Amino acid sequence: MPHSRRDFSTLRIPCTKPGCNRWFKNKSGYTQHTNAAHPLFSAAPLHAEPSQFTWPHPDDPSQSNRSPSPIFNGDIDPIQSDGACEEDRSEIPRSVQSPTPAEFVGTGDRLYRNYHPSLTGRPCDPEGNFLPPGVLPLPLSEKCSDDWTPYCDRLEFELADYIFTKNQTPAAQIDHLLDLWAASLIQAGAYLSQVPFKDHRDVYKTIDSTPLGDVKWQSFSVKYTGDIPDGDPAPWMTESYDVWFRDPHQVVQNMLANPDYATEVDLRPYCEFATETDERQWQDFMSGDWAWNQADQIAEDPDTHGSMFVPVILGSDKTTVSVATGQNDYYLLYASIGNVRNNVRRAHCGAVAVIGFLAMPKTTKQHAKTAIFRKFHHQLFHSSLSFILQTLKPMMTKPEVVRFGDGHYRRVIYGLGPYIADYEEQVLLACIVQSWCAKCTSNSKTLDDDNLLHSRVHTDTLIEECDHEMLWDEYGIIAQLVPFTNDFPRADINELIAPDLLHQIIKGAFKDHLVAWVEKYLVITYGQARADVILDDIDRRIAAVPAFSGLRRFPQGCNFKQWTGDDLKALMKVYLPAIKGYVPTDIVRAFHALLEFCYLVCRNIITETSLKEINNVVARFHRYREIFRTSDHYNALIRLFGALNGLCSSITESKHIKAVKEPWRRSSRYKALGQMLVTNQRLDKLTASRQDFHARGMLNGTCLTSVLAALNTQAPREHHDAGQHELPVSSAPGEDVNEDFDVIDDPTSVLAHVELTKTPCKRTPSGFISITENKYIEGTKHAQSIPELSTELDIPNLADLVRWFLFEQSNPKDTRNPTEVPLLEFPHYQGQISIFNSASSTFHAPSDLSGIGGMKHEHIRACPLWRNEYARNDCMFVITDSDTHGMQGMDVARIMAFFSLRQHGRQIPCAVVRWFNRVGNVPDPDTSMWMVKPAFAAQNTPHFAVIHIDTIFHAAHLIPVFGTTPLSPSIKFYHVLDIFKLFYVNKFADHHAFEIAS
């Protein structure tokens, strides 16, 4: 029976304070809120929450005459040292709007939202006239369900999509494939006309004729027009620089019209609260204060009421595709929209698009460091962005009508949203001096001080009042440079710079500071020779960490020079236990505070309680490691922009692979940019076609099943057999990377679910066959009964454990101890069993690499011969008390075997496990991780049990407590679970583990 939603009026009492949009169920809640948030008296001046106040953003050009010009007029002076006078920044209340009644969201009415009252995203007709409530949208397409234009049929489309998108087949190989296809048809007596394409040119021509997703690449040239000295001018002064771009207006319209994530778009800014506690929480971008404040400013124009605010999120980054051939660097500009939810942006799904290849002027070493070249280089960046974004500017003040992926039309008004950038880009964006903060007036030597925040108004005032030398020296402001945002309404670049977790925290705080500092500490304390021995042992410890689904391994430790973001993220998860015993406790605690900070700020949902936890972690970090403060702005940025996992630069960096690196590899490497642009455009067309065909229900099933259905025949027997004999063990990549997991694009359906693989292991005359990396491994015994499994696992009492398990299944309310139950009451099982090498755990993990609905699944292994080298028996969390949260309600166990048995006409999936016992009732204070040790039963025998796989919640990662004894080089990662007697439960293995093992 569907859940009936409560009426909105249950939240009937509004807060009457200006700018506060809270509603309450009763007078008691209203009184508590007023006393806490709006007290009558205070010993100190009140500091407003970011959600209640905003800064003035001058939209009128008369308020600021600093505007970037797309043409360089020649007035380029050398960048001089500048300074500024101190000025206090005062907060002013935002415009007061009448709050709307709250709406319950989610299941169980546990959350409610206050939506913005004016910018409501109401559906309208194509002319912009608002529709009455309940009017259904028009069909997304008027095409019939068999119109595959420009393809003849589904086979042609899927073939083109496969060879161009999925397989990235070179032209010569496409021709060879089509020749083989033609030859097979001739042998079968068919006609050559049945070959889908003639050659690669026919494939490309068909893709290019696709009418959908066609946002053409354009270019403009920029040239220095300032004073050129007589004689021998610098080469860069006379050259022109090409900038390639796509109209961001059309790109954003395509994002809004995308049906793939039509249900994952927030139409209105909102504030979200827990019903029981009235605690606010932040999740997706539109839940932040910035979107609400922007909507307040837009709503000052009554003509915008009922429209939808669409923030355009930008990001830029350089990438290198090759170090061996000519022009190997590209400078990409990306765009997304703030309305799509964070999980969609992280999964890309067309919500992050390349809109530009920016120019990178180069010159000789003689001229590269001159002030005039630096200014030209920087202003070229800002002027290029200003020119590219001009098509959006008219719709930043007056709405336009846009078609959405749900079929409705809406009036849309745009604005510039956060800008995703690393520190080098932030310096360029904010027009500041290197080593100064882009968000405030701090520099590298005053990061611990309280400093004023930068703002457009503040900067413009300083430039008017202070000379350039004072601006440079005291504020780090380069007065001659003008941010591109000054060309657009409601845009302040200092406010829009998004936090950069990848470079600031992971690469900066973790690698460049803490890891480097540990090495320096060891050298200073023990001397270089002894420090090298310790560092080698730390590397061996890192290499000995057991395998875990999705966790990158380091077979040689961390002693390598070329670091990537994925390397650093993986190293963070295993570094802490490796150094404990070699460094002081405070260093260990500083590391664990930093790791906790990373996981807290990357949560998919952040509550007011989470913000307090973040503050506490930061305080602990500074108590143990007084170096710098990179995290002071993070709480404020969470309040402004929502959960930060949707704005990290890792999103744009991962996009480099599809947008630049793969197209570059497919090019001839000669004047590759033009070929790369064509490749990107064809990929967009194929994606748009797939979205269109999927929306019309034309891609259900597989291509084979659709052809068979059209012929009104049944599939040949061999196809059915082939589909049922799936690999019980999925292939694994190289040893240094463990990607034994998959993202799932289905919507969120369950929080966690575990099931055995579809096919059990097969028994042959020669023994057991395990399929690993497509190789058959023969000769291993394979049990088909409980006694055989007991012998194979060397568990003499396994039959009794199975009988007790079956008794529990039949008598779930019986709380007696097994020793209290007469043996005759135990069921006796003598049937056959089926053995499985793995189970698939599917769970909701939106903060990890996951699909559009935040779902992923991983494999938990119990394989007697993994990769033809060693046995693999993973660990997992088992729910033993469903009423208790976290580790107190779970135990850790190691899988010895997965099997199923049949009782009363049904299959029961089971697992033989070995238990671990928790050490103490709280986590280890130094590492903040729980500790466990192998459990033993009577007569000091290992404690085994048989459990139902429904009690398995998630894979667990154990890391040995290495102590102070050096690790023998002969100990491999697959030995440690059998050798060591004490382990950490690694809560930093992934975000899901962090939540359940904290």
Side-chain angles (χ1 to χ4, degrees), residues 636-657:
L637 290 171
I638 289 169
R639 293 178 183 272
L640 283 176
F641 299 143
L644 302 182
N645 58 1
L647 295 176
C648 184
S649 59
S650 59
I651 294 175
T652 53
E653 288 207 357
S654 62
K655 186 73 174 178
H656 289 339
I657 298 173

Side-chain angles (χ1 to χ4, degrees), residues 549-550 726-727 729-731 733 738-746 757 839-845 848-852 854-861:
S549 177
E726 298 186 8
L727 299 182
V729 179
S730 63
S731 60
N738 181 1
E739 296 177 348
D740 193 17
F741 73 97
D742 299 294
V743 300
I744 302 175
D745 285 330
D746 294 337
T757 48
S840 175
S841 172
T842 303
F843 52 92
H844 187 235
D848 292 308
L849 181 62
S850 58
I852 192 171
M855 299 296 294
K856 65 179 290 187
H857 72 244
E858 63 189 6
H859 290 283
I860 304 174
R861 304 292 185 187

Side-chain angles (χ1 to χ4, degrees), residues 164 204 207-208 678-687:
F164 195 84
Y204 297 160
I207 296 173
D208 291 340
V678 172
T679 297
N680 272 287
Q681 191 154 356
R682 287 172 178 162
L683 291 171
D684 289 343
K685 286 174 175 286
L686 285 166
T687 299

